Amino acid sequence: MEFEKRRRSSSDKKKRSIWKRLLGLVLLILIGAAVALYLNHRGYEAKNPNDTTVTMVTIKSSDSAKEIGQQLEKKGIIRGANYFANYTKKYGAKSLVAGTYPLSPVQDISQIYQELTEGAGAEPVLSDGYTFISNNKTADQTASTIADAAGVSKSALLSAYSDSALQAKAKMLYPQLFLNAKSNLTLYDLVYPGIYKFKKAKSADDLVLTLLKHTNQTLKPYYAQLQQNKMPASTAILLAENGGKTEFDRRLAFIKKIASYSQDLQSQYGILPSISIAQAIHESNWDDSALSSKYNNYYGVKTDDTTAGKSVVLQTQEVVNGQTVTKNARFAVYDSYKDSMKAHAKTLVNGNSWNANQFADVLAAKNYQDAAQALSTDGYATDPNYPKLIIQIIQNWNLSQYDK
């Protein structure tokens, strides 16, 4: 009898032990499922609510949702490509529109998806508390948004941007921001574009100084190069939404690459180096066009030569009767960028077959302003804004330094 009791007791203990293990296993499974559910949900949230860095991301019409997600993950904007792919699968990949977008780790997957459905020119879709400042907008266009976010009046903020006393104070605090600055500079010109999380400001003046403090901190990696090349801080600021420091370095390297040869051409043909460089920049989009990067044609030179290896047919945009139209045209192919630059110089000097003095005004110009205007007057470009664009490039990058 005693033995039977001990046997039943031992059996009960084993059963209880089995049940405990089963309950423990179930509990672990439930905890694991809860953790997995949490992590999965977290994957759709903003990667870093404190990282307001803005990265420009280009989406092509041929990109799949998976490829877009991989790009976003690689650029550090989202936690994982699969989260974007899954979200897009649920809400529709066909809604995504090709274009270039400013995106940030402060955005969650739903906000990024919404932005990518709005098309080119879309601004970041943000949660409450975040404010986006774009360098494509004027001070007046952004004043209401910034003022409301920081708790100041719009009129006070606009007045602060142009206040001479505040500018003097800012110049003392952040002198490098004002090196080589244009005479008509306003403090808004020194506001670095991006996403901000504003606190309530004491005053409009205090808000502007806070904005400039951020710009000064952001531009520290640029200052040595800006000072060396006597360029204004605004040159770096203009690239905030177009590649930042990486793009700044690439563009500066392109200038350095062709500057010396442009001076050689000046001694041979009399073309101002600033004009040669600025036109190469504008026509080749900083050596980022297929025509320049693949065929060494920096100036969009057309040709009738159909000899193999001497030309290529590509699409181009031209202004006809005030309208921009897309056409197919045959362009010259060069063995090197120097050949392209020399051909450009010869064209300006020798003119066309029907008018040897076609570009006489460009050659006669003593400064880049007159030369840029003459490019339009003499019929080099069909775009009426061409001289203004060339002058802006020269001034922003201080290309006139190569004319001396």
Side-chain angles (χ1 to χ4, degrees), residues 259-275:
S260 178
Y261 191 62
S262 72
Q263 291 175 315
D264 292 343
L265 292 174
Q266 181 186 28
S267 64
Q268 296 178 56
Y269 301 100
I271 313 299
L272 289 173
S274 61
I275 293 295

Side-chain angles (χ1 to χ4, degrees), residues 45-52 79 104-107 130 195 197:
E45 296 177 346
K47 182 179 180 182
N48 188 346
N50 297 313
D51 184 357
T52 56
R79 298 179 189 278
S104 172
V106 303
Q107 296 174 280
Y130 294 97
I195 297 173
K197 200 171 185 179

